[in-house]
Amino acid sequence: MKLAKSIEEIRSDFPILSTKAYGKPLVYLDNGATTQKPLQVIKLLEELYRTTNANVHRGVHYLSDMVSERYEAARETVRAFINAGAREEIIFTAGTTASINAVAFSFGERYVREGDEIVISGMEHHANIVPWQMLCERKKAKLKVIPFSDAGVLDLEAYRSLLSERTRIVAVTHVSNVLGTINPVKEIVAEAHRHGIPVLIDGAQGIQHGMVDVTDFDCDFYVFSGHKVYGPNGIGVLYGKAEVLNELPPYQGGGDMVANVTFEKTTYNVLPFKFEAGTTNFTGAIGLAAALDYISLLGREAVTEREQALLARATTGLSAIEGLRIYGTAPQKVSLISFLPGAIHQYDAGMILDKMGIAVRTGTHCAQPLMGRYGITGNIRASIAFYNTEDEVDALVKGVRKVTEMFA
Amino acid sequence: MTINEIQDQIIEEFAQFGDWMERYEYLIDLGRSLGPFDERHKTPEYLIEGCQSKVWLYPSFEEGIITFTADSDALITRGIVALLVRVFSGRTPAEIVDARIYFIEKIGLRENLSPTRSNGLLAMMKQMRLYALAYKTKQEHS
Ligand SMILES: Cc1ncc(COP(=O)(O)O)c(C=O)c1O
């Protein structure tokens, strides 16, 4: 598969990539934290504020109609991108964290009782741990954790044995933000469904790298953030099966989510509005749709293919450095690599790489339990996007070599 | 030497380096040659937890003089720790409380003390002052 644009054209769509850091060309390899935005998104946001700003769903006037239409078109774009069954199954939120908290609260209120169990995995981001812990505390429920191997592969045998008649929900990440592992979500969902248990998939890292097909996964919830898929900040998605969402109580009250309000009783609006209280981030939603359109235009398979080639190059280059350990060597991985060069502290390495203009993430990556599993206080993560180049990958490898020399 | 004389001395030492690489190599050397830290003091009480690196700081107070020993798990942080110990250790509480620290900025390491870095260094400086304030109050009341 070939990308619809040349790499030079793609890079010129992302003006920030030509930044100089300390006088050197910036090598942006922190795409797992957030992705850069193409001009197609940046210009659109400006255009929206300039020409199409009014509150959605709240006016009969020209501008309000126009923006409401575009907002609903954005919902359709998201639906198509993740292959959801219906448009009203797409709820716009502030991001992954907001989506998970919404489900943990709403689902928790409806279904979780004392002594019940919630299953997550040992490779979760704090965003998919803490909301469930908070729920467990509220309801006196128990958190069960699926272990994983040194290579970073979930132990499905152990997973099966964790499911019981007390399990109310399973919440697992699609892709580990530290190990890069692509989890077998379809299998995980099927297993839970055999017991009638719904599943939430944290798609924060999954959405960026390839095929997300919620109909095929058959998951009950899939959540992600716009900023990690080349879209704006402060917008995210909560996908939920209509039959599941319809059973849940709203988690925030306010305007737009109601049908009828009297001081005696309020009835709620239908999906998706029931879960979109208050003025929504409609510019963000329309911007997100533009980002998804951009990826679709490039070709999603081609994007994945390019990222896999860059990943292979980085893995080969880094592996050749003596004493360097890579964390996460699952057979199915997205284009991110976590590593430590020998006994060198991640912060030391990160600081030197920064001075070379190379942006990587250092620390625990909001996954402290995972770090504990490997007995480390953190590591270095290089996360690669399709707009990165072979030269940038080589610069990383060279930079890490230099670091190992400096600290030898 | 006064605190400011030591700061000026450090600025002069760093002035001889051409580029950032040499500065950081020097910091790494400083980190390596930092005096030993008693492992028994690596307890939560003396730990200053940063998100990126950890710092341990142990004070002692004898005959009106504060002595600091310190350590870090990251080598560059340790190098900067060594500089801070050089400036602040062996001083009276009043000297530390009144000190204005300008050398970090002058040697181009300002970003290392930004609150968003969360490497324990800014908190370490604050902690040194807090110890000094506490010893000063103790002095005044004895
Ligand atoms: C796997 C995973 N889950 C959740 C999140 C949280 O995303 P956000 O901060 O956009 O809500 C992240 C982002 O770092 C992540 O990588």
Side-chain angles (χ1 to χ4, degrees):
Chain A
M1 285 291 281
K2 232 172 82 70
L3 288 161
K5 295 184 176 203
S6 73
I7 187 68
E8 292 75 26
E9 281 174 290
I10 289 173
R11 286 183 73 84
S12 64
D13 283 340
F14 292 83
I16 207 168
L17 296 179
S18 51
T19 301
K20 294 264 188 291
Y22 315 105
K24 301 174 189 74
L26 171 72
V27 176
Y28 187 76
L29 295 174
D30 197 13
N31 296 287
T34 201
T35 51
Q36 302 304 344
K37 324 300 173 201
L39 279 171
Q40 287 77 351
V41 171
I42 298 169
K43 284 186 176 157
L44 176 72
L45 290 178
E46 197 242 6
E47 185 248 320
L48 279 174
Y49 281 115
R50 216 157 26 76
T51 68
T52 320
N53 183 53
N55 205 326
V56 276
H57 304 139
R58 295 205 181 156
V60 292
H61 58 78
Y62 177 75
L63 278 184
S64 179
D65 274 350
M66 215 154 80
V67 77
S68 300
E69 228 165 78
R70 292 180 75 171
Y71 182 61
E72 292 310 317
R75 206 187 296 279
E76 170 56 26
T77 303
V78 173
R79 185 210 63 75
F81 196 84
I82 65 173
N83 194 30
R87 215 167 44 88
E88 71 262 23
E89 296 180 316
I90 307 297
I91 316 279
F92 285 117
T93 67
T96 307
T97 304
S99 298
I100 296 172
N101 275 282
V103 175
F105 186 82
S106 189
F107 184 91
E109 283 311 297
R110 178 83 171 76
Y111 295 111
V112 179
R113 306 279 172 272
E114 183 167 348
D116 284 348
E117 293 171 2
I118 289 161
V119 172
I120 63 171
S121 91
M123 59 171 80
E124 299 306 314
H125 184 281
H126 295 164
N128 201 27
I129 302 174
V130 184
W132 303 113
Q133 271 176 335
M134 289 164 66
L135 170 62
C136 286
E137 238 166 73
R138 281 199 304 277
K139 302 287 179 182
K140 300 202 175 59
K142 285 198 279 296
L143 201 62
K144 298 276 172 175
V145 183
I146 312 164
F148 60 89
S149 70
D150 280 345
V153 178
L154 283 181
D155 181 345
L156 293 184
E157 202 62 39
Y159 166 59
R160 275 179 212 110
S161 66
L162 283 180
L163 297 175
S164 77
E165 71 273 16
R166 298 306 318 245
T167 312
R168 289 294 158 262
I169 190 166
V170 173
V172 175
T173 196
H174 185 183
V175 169
S176 159
N177 67 316
V178 179
L179 305 168
T181 312
I182 304 172
N183 286 318
V185 287
K186 211 174 149 168
E187 253 180 280
I188 290 170
V189 171
E191 191 61 37
H193 283 180
R194 261 191 278 285
H195 297 76
I197 304 163
V199 180
L200 175 141
I201 302 296
D202 175 353
Q205 297 291 333
I207 193 77
Q208 194 187 114
H209 292 289
M211 303 327 255
V212 174
D213 183 332
V214 295
T215 300
D216 180 48
F217 294 169
D218 198 27
C219 53
D220 302 85
F221 304 100
Y222 192 93
V223 300
F224 64 92
S225 302
H227 73 94
K228 287 191 203 284
V229 62
Y230 315 98
N233 292 328
I235 187 74
V237 168
L238 161 59
Y239 156 80
K241 284 184 182 166
E243 73 251 34
V244 179
L245 288 178
N246 274 323
E247 292 303 314
L248 298 185
Y251 66 104
Q252 283 181 333
D256 247 15
M257 52 79 72
V258 287
N260 263 303
V261 180
T262 67
F263 287 116
E264 287 69 44
K265 184 164 175 59
T266 291
T267 53
Y268 302 125
N269 204 339
V270 295
L271 289 179
F273 311 113
K274 179 168 106 175
F275 292 106
E276 291 184 355
T279 297
T280 54
N281 182 1
F282 51 90
T283 46
I286 299 167
L288 168 59
L292 299 181
D293 282 341
Y294 183 84
I295 306 300
S296 301
L297 174 114
L298 287 184
R300 288 167 79 177
E301 266 173 63
V303 163
T304 307
E305 216 170 88
R306 171 161 179 85
E307 288 176 349
Q308 287 294 320
L310 292 170
L311 171 68
R313 191 180 183 98
T315 307
T316 307
L318 289 173
S319 304
I321 296 173
E322 210 180 286
L324 184 139
R325 171 163 182 199
I326 291 175
Y327 294 85
T329 49
Q332 300 288 326
K333 264 188 78 170
V334 302
S335 54
L336 67 81
I337 308 188
S338 287
F339 61 94
L340 277 176
I344 300 168
H345 196 283
Q346 63 272 7
Y347 183 58
D348 285 329
M351 267 196 289
I352 299 298
L353 291 172
D354 170 55
K355 290 288 176 201
M356 297 172 178
I358 301 170
V360 291
R361 175 109 181 242
T362 62
T364 63
H365 320 307
C366 297
Q368 285 174 18
L370 186 154
M371 295 298 161
R373 157 76 176 70
Y374 287 105
I376 54 179
T377 60
N379 64 26
I380 305 162
R381 180 186 73 189
S383 44
I384 301 168
F386 59 84
Y387 49 53
N388 288 123
T389 63
E390 284 75 6
D391 285 349
E392 288 182 320
V393 167
D394 296 348
L396 168 74
V397 173
K398 200 168 147 221
V400 175
R401 265 192 199 285
K402 176 73 192 169
V403 166
T404 56
E405 283 160 27
M406 279 178 82
F407 289 91
Chain B
M1 274 208 280
T2 64
I3 282 187
N4 283 359
E5 279 166 354
I6 294 189
Q7 293 200 77
D8 294 338
Q9 195 184 52
I10 294 171
I11 293 167
E12 213 167 288
E13 280 167 27
F14 273 79
Q16 58 178 311
F17 301 127
D19 62 359
W20 67 271
M21 188 71 96
E22 288 178 8
R23 283 208 303 275
Y24 274 80
E25 271 166 355
Y26 185 58
L27 281 178
I28 293 166
D29 285 344
L30 286 177
R32 287 212 172 95
S33 54
L34 177 66
F37 186 84
D38 192 333
E39 288 295 320
R40 281 171 308 179
H41 296 148
K42 285 203 173 167
T43 59
E45 191 185 350
Y46 301 114
L47 172 65
I48 298 167
E49 185 112 40
C51 200
Q52 294 285 353
S53 55
K54 290 179 181 155
V55 172
W56 290 269
L57 175 68
Y58 182 78
S60 56
F61 188 47
E62 248 172 77
E63 296 176 9
I65 297 293
I66 304 178
T67 308
F68 288 113
T69 55
D71 200 358
S72 173
D73 58 346
L75 204 47
I76 294 176
T77 306
R78 224 167 110 109
I80 301 172
V81 161
L83 291 173
L84 289 173
V85 166
R86 187 166 145 201
V87 169
F88 282 112
S89 188
R91 301 278 152 198
T92 65
E95 277 181 295
I96 295 172
V97 171
D98 296 337
R100 198 178 63 78
I101 296 304
Y102 53 83
F103 79 97
I104 298 275
E105 184 151 1
K106 284 270 167 65
I107 61 179
L109 297 177
R110 194 169 57 96
E111 74 263 21
N112 289 288
L113 283 181
S114 98
T116 55
R117 264 301 163 90
S118 184
N119 54 12
L121 285 170
L122 190 65
M124 173 186 171
M125 278 212 337
K126 285 196 182 134
Q127 193 57 43
M128 286 173 142
R129 288 181 97 92
L130 282 179
Y131 280 130
L133 264 174
Y135 289 134
K136 191 164 172 245
T137 317
K138 204 163 122 193
Q139 254 178 345
E140 284 162 3
H141 290 85
S142 59

